[in-house]
């Protein structure tokens, strides 16, 4: 489905019996959401994400997703190299091997100085306040 537009891709995930349907129902973008299709492991590789974040004047990224030991880790690496502050809630990533996911979370905290506070303990108002200072 790499040639699909956002609407076609979401429709496919919701109507064609794909395994990811439950998560797409929870996270389906609406018309006001930005949508970046990533063809490889990092959200930055061969995507317009860098330009979009510059346009939005983003300084902090909250990363979540599947394959915390792969896609999330590589996106975090690329974000760190671009000087973004990283927040990767421990309960918002997953991997096939839970131990590898935990290892990746410890790595991003140690090497990339990522905040790995759980989503329940994350103070979004504080993060937003720091973004405007």
């Amino acid at each position: 489905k790499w040639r699909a537009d956002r609407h076609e891709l979401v429709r496919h995930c919701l109507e064609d019996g794909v395994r990811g349907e439950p998560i797409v129902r929870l996270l389906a973008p609406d018309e006001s959401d930005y949508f970046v299709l990533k063809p490889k492991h990092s959200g930055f590789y061969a995507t317009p994400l860098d330009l979009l974040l510059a346009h939005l004047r983003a300084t902090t990224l909250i990363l979540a997703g599947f394959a915390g030991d792969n896609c999330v880790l590589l996106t975090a690496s690329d974000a760190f190299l671009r000087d973004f502050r990283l927040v990767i809630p421990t309960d918002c990533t997953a991997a096939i091997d839970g131990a590898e996911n935990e290892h990746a979370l410890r790595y991003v905290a140690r090497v990339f100085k990522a905040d790995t506070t759980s989503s329940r303990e994350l103070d979004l108002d504080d993060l937003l306040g720091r973004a405007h200072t």
Side-chain angles (χ1 to χ4, degrees):
K1 298 291 178 179
W2 288 111
R3 294 186 178 142
D5 67 11
R6 174 180 76 172
H7 301 288
E8 183 181 339
L9 187 61
V10 172
R11 186 211 53 76
H12 164 69
C13 291
L14 294 176
E15 298 174 8
D16 293 344
V18 301
R19 291 185 314 174
E21 180 183 341
I23 194 74
V24 174
R25 288 213 179 281
L26 292 170
L27 300 175
D30 63 31
E31 291 304 315
S32 65
D33 290 326
Y34 293 100
F35 186 88
V36 175
L37 184 64
K38 72 178 190 70
K40 293 296 262 180
H41 305 87
S42 170
F44 287 93
Y45 181 79
T47 75
L49 183 59
D50 211 4
L51 293 171
L52 174 61
L53 294 172
H55 171 73
L56 296 172
R57 295 187 177 124
T59 58
T60 300
L61 301 182
I62 301 174
L63 301 181
F66 303 110
D69 61 335
N70 193 336
C71 296
V72 175
L73 176 63
L74 293 173
T75 300
S77 176
D78 284 349
F80 177 76
L81 292 173
R82 289 166 171 81
D83 296 320
F84 285 101
R85 181 171 177 259
L86 293 169
V87 178
I88 307 172
T90 56
D91 56 331
C92 294
T93 65
I96 291 172
D97 183 330
E100 290 298 321
N101 192 62
E102 293 298 321
H103 177 74
L105 286 166
R106 285 192 306 275
Y107 182 84
V108 296
R110 181 175 54 85
V111 177
F112 303 152
K113 308 300 182 230
D115 178 348
T116 56
T117 302
S118 77
S119 65
R120 291 174 200 84
E121 298 172 15
L122 201 58
D123 186 342
L124 295 178
D125 290 329
D126 180 54
L127 285 174
L128 186 58
R130 283 193 250 166
H132 295 294
T133 59

